[in-house]
Amino acid sequence: PFPVELKAGKKYAWCGCGHSKSQPFCDGTHKKAAPGISPVRFTAEKDTTAWLCGCKRTRSPPYCDGTH
C-alpha cells in the first residue's frame, strides 16, 4: 500500500488499472492501456494519512484492506 496525506475536501482519483506512473493516483494511462477500467474518484472527509491500495485487489477501494 501507499501511505498518502489526504486533505479534507480535496478530490482524488485512485488508479484502478495499475498502469499509472503516478501511483497510487490516476494519470490517465488507463485510456490506452486498460480502456475498460476507470479510476475511483473520492473526496477526503478529513486531513489524514491513509493507506491506498497498490495491488488493486482491495475490496474497499481505494483503501488497502490487507488483501495483498
Side-chain angles (χ1 to χ4, degrees), residues 21-47:
K21 294 197 181 356
S22 60
Q23 290 291 334
F25 300 108
C26 178
D27 67 2
T29 303
H30 67 276
K31 292 174 186 172
K32 287 187 179 180
I37 300 175
S38 298
V40 172
R41 299 178 193 286
F42 68 101
T43 303
E45 294 181 16
K46 61 182 180 177
D47 290 350

Side-chain angles (χ1 to χ4, degrees), residues 4-68:
V4 296
E5 295 295 320
L6 301 179
K7 300 295 178 194
K10 185 174 178 181
K11 295 178 181 183
Y12 296 92
W14 172 78
C15 171
C17 73
H19 294 284
S20 174
K21 294 197 181 356
S22 60
Q23 290 291 334
F25 300 108
C26 178
D27 67 2
T29 303
H30 67 276
K31 292 174 186 172
K32 287 187 179 180
I37 300 175
S38 298
V40 172
R41 299 178 193 286
F42 68 101
T43 303
E45 294 181 16
K46 61 182 180 177
D47 290 350
T48 189
T49 299
W51 291 88
L52 299 188
C53 178
C55 74
K56 312 305 178 195
R57 294 182 180 147
T58 183
R59 290 184 203 100
S60 58
Y63 305 100
C64 176
D65 67 1
T67 299
H68 62 274

